[in-house]
């Protein structure tokens, strides 16, 4: 479990947070000022810091700089009292992960901690992959050399230098968040804030306040003014993940942001101008959500200025061996397990599966296989039984497929069921092998 450092000159606050976090299973260290806090950080082992904004001896800004200079991956959450919200926002622009006003809500703190630790792990993983993988195999953490992925890379490079709003569509686990991060990193806003919001993780009431902020007294529990994520992202980029989950009220407000780059706090009519790049992602087909009345058509067209579609893993199977190798390297290092060899059957079998969970599912499976390997070997027996469920699946047909789409799906199904033996598939289909090759080439264009 992660180790968290609490810094506050008030003993009751330190001890209160410590007790609550330990109850949740976290390991907790405490310090009464920034100097003692940074000493603990330098000793190593700290995964996240929660610190008061105003501290004796060392200012919050000085402490934040020292932490990020030591390890830029350590998330820092700022605790601030009344009247210091603007300073806390400035701290976020300097690199703090988030801030909370006192008195704080414990459930909200736990949610922020969980998000911060997850974000930290993703960033470290991405950097590890970029260092270990040849540029032609990795693009800002995305791994693959298939034609479909090369098209994604080109789209990212082309759109990144513009101010255009981007909509990323794709199934869960395809890497939509990596696309958004790459766009920001390549853009001229790279040194400005990059704020992410998982719209599906927040309740309807909380989401509106998180995005737009609120005034003191705007609703029960609003004991102080709150700066929203759009303001925190000013001059930078905001990434709205799972945009298909937002309700109609938030959709209307978001439409105004996209049209005018103006927001209003909950409980206020005062317009606030924001300079932001908006990137949204969804695993839903928003065009279908419009038909059922769940998503506004006008908002969809505002979001869909540039669309980037992330292909499912089963549509870029040639990338699977590359992904397998890199995940083996990653988890060998994480778990200090030396993998000396991988049975060729492993590549063949894993390349034939359907991967409904996409790259995320493959990554999780490879970690299991590395941990369960023996004598430095990964063999067919290391593949979990549940992973082979696709061998028992039957061919299913989606509604409203064109004849060409149906043919493509059936051919890919036969290939996966026959370990990509094109001669066997040609025989099943009753066509020449050259005809099958031509069809496969047409599918990939």
């Amino acid at each position: 479990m992660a180790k968290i450092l609490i810094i506050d000159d008030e003993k009751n606050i330190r001890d209160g947070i410590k007790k609550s976090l330990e109850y949740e299973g976290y390991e907790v260290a405490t310090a009464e000022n920034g100097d003692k806090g940074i000493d603990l950080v330098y000793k190593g082992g700290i995964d996240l810091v929660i610190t008061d904004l105003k501290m004796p001896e060392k200012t919050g800004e000085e402490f934040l700089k020292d932490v990020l200079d030591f390890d830029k991956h350590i998330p820092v959450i700022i605790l601030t009292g009344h009247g210091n919200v603007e300073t806390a926002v400035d701290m976020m622009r300097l690199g703090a992960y988030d801030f909370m006003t006192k008195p704080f809500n414990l459930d909200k703190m736990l949610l922020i901690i969980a998000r911060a630790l997850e974000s930290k792990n993703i960033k470290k993983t991405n950097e590890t992959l970029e260092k270990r993988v040849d540029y032609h195999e990795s693009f800002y953490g995305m791994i693959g050399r298939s034609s479909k992925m090369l098209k994604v890379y080109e789209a990212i490079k082309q759109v990144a230098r513009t101010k255009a709003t981007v909509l990323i569509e794709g199934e869960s686990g395809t890497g939509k968040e990596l696309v958004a991060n790459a766009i920001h990193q390549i853009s001229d806003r790279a040194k400005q804030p990059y704020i992410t919001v998982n719209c599906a993780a927040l309740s309807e009431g909380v989401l509106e306040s998180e995005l737009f902020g609120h005034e003191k007294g705007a609703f029960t529990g609003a004991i102080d003014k709150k700066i929203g994520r759009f303001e925190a992202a000013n001059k930078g980029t905001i990434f709205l993940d799972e945009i298909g989950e937002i309700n109609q009220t938030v959709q209307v407000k978001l439409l105004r942001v996209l049209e005018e780059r103006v927001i209003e706090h909950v409980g206020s009519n005062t317009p606030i101008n924001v300079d932001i790049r908006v990137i949204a992602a969804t695993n839903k087909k928003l065009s279908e959500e419009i038909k059922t009345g769940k998503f506004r058509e006008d908002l969809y067209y505002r979001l869909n200025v540039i669309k980037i579609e992330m292909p499912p893993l089963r549509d870029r199977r040639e990338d699977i061996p590359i992904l397998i190798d890199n995940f083996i390297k990653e988890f060998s290092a994480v778990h200090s397990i030396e993998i000396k060899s991988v049975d060729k059957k492993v590549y063949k079998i894993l390349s034939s599966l359907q991967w409904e969970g996409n790259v995320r599912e493959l990554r999780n499976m490879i970690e299991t296989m590395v941990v369960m390997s023996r004598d430095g070997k990964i063999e067919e027996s290391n593949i979990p039984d549940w992973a082979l469920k696709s061998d028992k699946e039957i061919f299913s047909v989606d509604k409203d497929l064109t004849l060409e789409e149906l043919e493509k799906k059936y051919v890919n199904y036969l290939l996966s069921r026959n370990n990509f033996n094109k001669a066997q598939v040609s025989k099943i289909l009753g066509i020449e092998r050259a005809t099958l090759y031509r069809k496969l080439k047409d599918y990939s264009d």
Side-chain angles (χ1 to χ4, degrees), residues 62-115:
E62 290 172 336
F63 174 78
L64 176 65
K65 185 177 184 301
D66 287 344
V67 171
L68 297 182
D69 284 346
F70 175 75
D71 185 347
K72 65 180 180 179
H73 294 298
I74 297 179
V76 178
I77 299 171
I78 306 295
L79 295 180
T80 179
H82 301 291
N84 294 314
V85 174
E86 298 294 341
T87 305
V89 172
D90 289 339
M91 295 278 279
M92 286 183 68
R93 289 177 179 144
L94 290 173
Y97 179 79
D98 208 336
F99 71 92
M100 297 186 67
T101 54
K102 299 178 183 178
F104 53 83
N105 179 282
L106 178 60
D107 289 337
K108 181 179 178 182
M109 174 177 281
L110 291 173
L111 178 62
I112 292 174
I113 289 172
R115 288 201 311 246

Side-chain angles (χ1 to χ4, degrees), residues 171-210:
E171 297 176 9
S172 294
T174 51
K176 298 185 291 296
E177 69 283 356
L178 296 179
V179 175
N181 180 66
I183 292 172
H184 176 72
Q185 293 301 326
I186 298 174
S187 75
D188 56 8
R189 297 172 182 255
K191 295 183 179 180
Q192 300 300 324
Y194 177 64
I195 305 297
T196 65
V197 183
N198 187 331
C199 300
L202 300 172
S203 64
E204 292 185 1
V206 172
L207 178 60
E208 187 174 359
S209 174
E210 283 290 321

Side-chain angles (χ1 to χ4, degrees), residues 330-354:
E330 176 189 350
F331 291 116
S332 296
V334 169
H335 298 294
S336 300
I337 298 173
E338 183 183 2
I339 299 299
K340 300 175 183 177
S341 66
V342 182
D343 189 335
K344 291 182 179 180
K345 290 182 180 179
V346 170
Y347 294 104
K348 194 171 186 179
I349 293 171
L350 296 189
S351 294
S352 72
L353 301 182
Q354 290 303 303

Side-chain angles (χ1 to χ4, degrees), residues 267-322:
S268 171
N269 293 321
T270 303
I272 302 172
N273 294 318
V274 287
D275 175 12
I276 50 173
R277 169 71 169 281
V278 178
I279 304 174
T282 178
N283 60 10
K284 295 183 176 181
K285 286 288 186 181
L286 294 186
S287 55
E288 296 299 319
E289 296 292 295
I290 292 171
K291 294 177 183 178
T292 60
K294 295 179 181 178
F295 204 85
R296 293 178 62 98
E297 187 173 18
D298 49 2
L299 176 57
Y300 172 70
Y301 289 121
R302 282 290 179 181
L303 289 169
N304 193 30
V305 176
I306 302 293
K307 181 190 288 185
I308 296 177
E309 295 192 35
M310 285 299 288
L313 188 54
R314 58 187 172 276
D315 284 353
R316 57 180 187 104
R317 293 181 184 276
E318 59 267 49
D319 289 331
I320 291 177
I322 301 171

